[in-house]
Amino acid sequence: MAERSTAAVDVADNGGDEPLTAKAGKATTDGAADTQAAESPAAGSQSAEEETALERDGERQGGEPSYSTPDLHSGHKLARRYRLEECVTRLDGFSSWRAMDEKLRRAVGVHILPADHPRARSVLAAARSSALLGDPRFVQVLDAVEENDLVYVVHEWLPDAVELTALLAAGPFEPHDAYQLVDQLSQAMAAAHREGLAHLRLTPGAVLRTSTGQYRIRGLAVNAALRGISVDGPQRTDTEAIGALLYAALTQRWPYENDAYGLTGLPKGVGLVAPDQVRAGVHRGLSELAMRALVNDGATASRQEPPCTTPDELAKAVAAMPRIRPPEPAFTAPPEYQRTTYQQGNYARPAAMPGAGATQPTPTPPPPLQTRTGKALKWAVSALLIAALGLGSWQVADKLLDNRNGSEEPRTSETETTNQDGDKPAAPVPLAIQDAQEYAPDGAPQNANNVGATHDSDSTTYWRSRSYFDGPDLVPSVKQGVGIVYDLGSDKDIAGASIALRYGGDHTTISVYAVDSLSPSGPVGSMKQIATGRTSDSTLKVTAKQPVKSRYVLIWMTAMPYSPQDEYSDPGYKQGITDVAFTG
């Protein structure tokens, strides 16, 4: 799993007005306080902005110390595993890179700074604390290491995600989309603060939306540590930041006087104006919610409800709102039906001449069977029916006589005929599995190292998914699905599959597809489905209507039951696969 290459690392500072709640905070650089304020910077979402961030590296404010960035280059390898490919930020003595994890063959992001950098210890501590959270709503820290005079932090890279900066540039959000934004962000930050973790740089560049509509927050604790930012009220700072993002989503304006993140600020001198007064058609409840989060010098919603000062209070305020439904899909009306010339009865008829008289009425023809020909046909059909009935009666009588005369002769039963060896269905044949590999088209594998446990004939070993907050259906709120591809060694006729699951409950849905390789090309919807099934038990058997010939088979899971916490994962919607067997 990894962040988008064009929305790389949320560490470049492109301005933005300072939240008032951050005034009390102090950005510390060598352990001592300096005058750098806790601004709201964001990552560049386009390569041009990343280049601008690199150019700003040498522009330091007066009085700020300058640090030498480690001399690294594309192709440099860390821990004989992470190959640096593209530098996306170089600032404050650290650099951020897009890299390749050659062991797991996936893109990752890496922050690098010298081990003697005054912030190195705090960065390591922040990264390790963030990694322990393990919440899928945050971009995960994968590794935090001090090695060879360097400190580096490795994190996910999400190739299918889009920065909120780019989404806001496209226009204001629909009410349902804005509701999902504030709901997911407030719940995620409430969970982080319960574990003692703050963000302090929650800007449009720090929020990503995946192709499934799920929002992911990157840089939890780490980005603030890299910049040496600390504040007296971290919960208030993060809550106000979420309010600013909601305000921007509703109005496409930044709720401060200065322009920031590609958005126009509010007019100078007018103060904080409610979103529904900035743009027509803004949802009233969301407008008031944004104002309750943006409590600046006493500014609250027009109804003067209590301000939200923590992410948990904001999440509860969102939950108390009436749920905002997604808009109904718009269907294009079919074109009005028009009769053709032939249907209108004008085929091969000359057009009426100008001045022609009134059309003479056409005489109505008699019913078909009342004509002379019709009457003859009716008598002929009647005669044929009488002859057919007589012939049929004679054949039935002759058959009955034959049966009575030969009643003592042995006869072959119909059962014996249908039970000949040639008509018996063939018994299912087990198909051996040669290899397996996890399939993650979104670049976010679940547990790639343990796929072999699903075909080792050992019921005590298993592959498991991550734990999700939404479910049981993964589509569309979480992702399109999770799965494993199996190699049968050669083309085989696949008639069914038997899958042993780790968790029971409502409910698990699995489909079986024939694919072209261990790393299939194209979306799942383009693959040939062999069978599908749903269960609330810990086993699932699916059978194909007709056997399908293929060497590679995909087990694709689109729904998982809710299960409590165990020794490996948090409570949530999750599933594990113990054993898989195919029959042909």
Side-chain angles (χ1 to χ4, degrees), residues 172-182 209 215 249 286 324 326-327:
F173 282 23
E174 292 292 332
H176 176 262
D177 294 331
Y179 174 85
Q180 290 295 321
L181 172 70
V182 66
R209 188 171 73 180
Y215 288 96
L286 292 175
I324 301 176

Side-chain angles (χ1 to χ4, degrees), residues 21 53 56 61 94 136 145 182 207 214 256 312 317 344 385 396 398 430 508 524:
T21 54
R56 281 196 301 270
Q61 298 179 4
F94 69 85
V145 180
V182 66
V207 179
Q214 185 178 20
Y256 305 101
D312 189 57
Q344 292 169 351
L385 288 174
V396 170
D398 185 61
T508 301
V524 174

Side-chain angles (χ1 to χ4, degrees), residues 190-230:
H193 278 281
R194 283 194 293 269
E195 300 298 326
L197 295 172
H199 197 290
L200 307 185
R201 287 175 53 83
L202 194 56
T203 66
V207 179
L208 307 172
R209 188 171 73 180
T210 66
S211 58
T212 61
Q214 185 178 20
Y215 288 96
R216 304 283 299 274
I217 301 173
R218 62 183 173 188
L220 177 67
V222 174
N223 284 352
L226 285 167
R227 297 295 301 240
I229 295 174
S230 64

